[in-house]
């Protein structure tokens, strides 16, 4: 991905309905190789040229017309929608309450401690996003009770139709992540209520850590959505992406190369490279497969085979 500007990527590999370049030739690599060898040995006549044109035609491997993606999208239920609405509004209220309490108790001498703690909170949120993303991508099935259709389904749909997230509204995009933030922010608001001002000052670094961690956890899927949005983003979002304060678009494209086995952290993406260098995810997968016999991304691959 290095050395490619957004303009170059858009001009050479992007399509309006498929901005992640997820179009694959209908032939397999072996067939392409064989066709290439045949073309070297056989003179190109009118019939051969027509055949070559036919084999070069591409078919959508992923996208909104994919059978599996359509089936997964249809599993989004009214009950799930109701849960997401409740979680989003509850979490936003808690964000506002905690922000007001933090501003109220902020002291100039605590800013440096708060900054370092907040940075650690953001890094924790990035690792947490990778852990959840890796677990949901790699293990489990849509057929599992409770968590299958409600929580694993969006991960399967996203790999089959990566741009579907850009067509989701704020509620559908953020409902699950905001749900995770509710108990953390609820506890933090309770902490402000039961502690004295002196105790709050003593633990202000910890408060900043928890608050920023929960905010970035809650906003992870919105940041993820922005990493798939190639048109119409606000300039401040583009600035944050270009400074790699939040997940950049080109950075996240690395994850969307099948079989989706790397670069799982999707809040800032800061931890993707170091975790890949030490082979963190692949090592855990080998250990789990050794002791359980389960194959990584088995369910994900089954859905990927449902082509139109």
């Amino acid at each position: 991905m290095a050395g490619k500007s957004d303009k170059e990527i858009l001009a050479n590999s992007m399509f309006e309905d498929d901005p992640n370049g997820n179009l694959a030739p209908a032939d397999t690599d072996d067939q392409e190789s064989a066709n290439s060898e045949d073309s070297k040995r056989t003179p190109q006549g009118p019939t051969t040229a027509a055949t070559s044109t036919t084999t070069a035609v591409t078919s959508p491997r992923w996208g909104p017309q994919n059978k599996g993606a359509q089936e997964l999208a249809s599993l989004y239920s009214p009950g799930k929608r109701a849960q997401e609405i409740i979680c989003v509004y509850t979490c936003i209220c808690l964000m506002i309450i905690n922000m007001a309490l933090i501003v109220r108790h902020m002291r100039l001498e605590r800013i440096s401690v708060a900054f370092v703690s907040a940075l650690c909170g953001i890094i924790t949120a990035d690792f947490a996003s990778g852990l959840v993303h890796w677990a949901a991508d790699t293990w489990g099935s849509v057929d599992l009770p409770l968590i299958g259709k409600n929580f694993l389904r969006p991960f399967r749909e996203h790999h089959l139709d990566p741009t579907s997230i850009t067509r989701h509204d704020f509620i559908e995009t953020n409902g699950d992540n905001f749900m995770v933030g509710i108990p953390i922010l609820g506890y933090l608001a309770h902490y402000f209520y039961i502690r004295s001002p002196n105790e709050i000052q003593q633990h202000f670094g910890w408060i900043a850590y928890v608050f920023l961690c929960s905010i970035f956890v809650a906003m992870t899927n919105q940041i993820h959505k922005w990493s798939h949005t190639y048109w119409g983003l606000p300039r401040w979002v583009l600035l944050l992406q270009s400074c790699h304060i939040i997940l950049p678009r080109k950075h996240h494209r690395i994850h969307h190369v099948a079989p989706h086995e790397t670069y799982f952290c999707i809040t800032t993406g800061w931890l993707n490279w170091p975790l890949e260098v030490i082979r963190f995810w692949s090592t855990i997968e080998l250990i789990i497969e050794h002791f359980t016999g389960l194959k990584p991304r088995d369910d994900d691959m089954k859905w990927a085979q449902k082509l139109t």
Side-chain angles (χ1 to χ4, degrees), residues 11 24 34 57 144 156 162 184 211 305:
V57 173
L144 287 174
R156 302 294 180 268
I184 306 172
F211 182 70
Q305 292 168 5

Side-chain angles (χ1 to χ4, degrees), residues 284-297:
I284 297 177
E285 288 171 12
L286 287 173
I287 294 171
I288 293 175
E289 184 175 4
H290 175 75
F291 285 103
T292 67
L294 297 173
K295 297 290 184 182
R297 288 166 289 279

Side-chain angles (χ1 to χ4, degrees), residues 218-264:
M219 292 301 297
T220 286
N221 220 32
Q222 183 63 49
I223 294 170
H224 180 206
K225 177 179 179 176
W226 288 331
S227 77
H228 283 279
T229 305
Y230 281 76
W231 297 274
L233 283 176
R235 289 190 176 183
W236 64 270
V237 173
L238 294 173
L239 177 63
L240 292 176
Q241 289 179 335
S242 64
C243 295
H244 206 152
I245 296 173
I246 61 174
L247 184 70
R249 295 175 294 186
K250 288 167 65 176
H251 181 94
H252 184 54
R253 282 192 62 206
I254 298 171
H255 173 72
H256 279 277
V257 176
H260 311 93
E261 60 186 357
T262 188
Y263 275 47
F264 292 101

Side-chain angles (χ1 to χ4, degrees), residues 101-121:
L101 290 169
I102 286 174
V103 170
R104 177 184 173 187
H105 290 278
M106 176 68 76
R107 300 291 182 270
L108 187 62
E109 62 272 14
R110 306 298 294 173
I111 288 179
S112 59
V113 174
F115 178 81
V116 174
S117 300
L119 184 63
C120 292

Side-chain angles (χ1 to χ4, degrees), residues 36-240:
S36 177
E37 291 298 323
D38 289 341
S39 65
K40 291 177 182 178
R41 293 193 296 267
T42 308
Q44 287 279 341
T47 304
T48 308
T51 303
S52 176
T53 303
T54 301
T55 56
V57 173
T58 59
S59 60
R61 182 176 183 180
W62 300 318
Q65 303 306 316
N66 179 277
K67 181 180 177 182
Q70 293 174 345
E71 183 179 342
L72 287 162
S74 70
L75 297 176
Y76 184 63
S77 66
K80 176 64 175 172
R81 178 71 177 184
Q83 170 251 308
E84 291 172 345
I85 291 173
I86 293 169
C87 289
V88 166
Y89 281 101
T90 303
C91 190
I92 289 175
C93 289
L94 288 170
M95 286 178 182
I96 294 171
I97 291 170
N98 279 284
M99 186 64 194
L101 290 169
I102 286 174
V103 170
R104 177 184 173 187
H105 290 278
M106 176 68 76
R107 300 291 182 270
L108 187 62
E109 62 272 14
R110 306 298 294 173
I111 288 179
S112 59
V113 174
F115 178 81
V116 174
S117 300
L119 184 63
C120 292
I122 295 170
I123 294 172
T124 302
D126 194 42
F127 178 76
S129 75
L131 185 63
V132 173
H133 189 186
W134 166 79
D137 274 5
T138 310
W139 311 106
S141 165
V142 176
D143 297 325
L144 287 174
L146 189 62
I147 67 168
K149 292 181 180 179
N150 289 316
F151 300 108
L152 297 183
R153 176 197 64 82
F155 290 88
R156 302 294 180 268
E157 180 189 2
H158 184 58
H159 284 174
L160 295 174
D161 183 9
T163 60
S164 65
I165 192 172
T166 66
R167 301 188 295 275
H168 295 168
D169 64 6
F170 189 84
I171 299 293
E172 185 175 357
T173 299
N174 298 294
D176 289 340
N177 284 74
F178 274 47
M179 179 181 66
V180 175
I182 289 173
I184 306 172
L185 291 169
Y187 170 77
L188 196 57
H190 178 67
Y191 185 88
F192 275 108
Y193 178 74
I194 64 173
R195 299 292 180 174
S196 68
N198 286 336
E199 289 177 313
I200 291 172
Q201 289 304 312
Q202 289 175 3
H203 299 96
F204 200 80
W206 176 83
I207 291 170
Y209 168 82
V210 173
F211 182 70
L212 263 293
C213 181
S214 61
I215 291 296
F216 270 78
V217 165
M219 292 301 297
T220 286
N221 220 32
Q222 183 63 49
I223 294 170
H224 180 206
K225 177 179 179 176
W226 288 331
S227 77
H228 283 279
T229 305
Y230 281 76
W231 297 274
L233 283 176
R235 289 190 176 183
W236 64 270
V237 173
L238 294 173
L239 177 63
L240 292 176

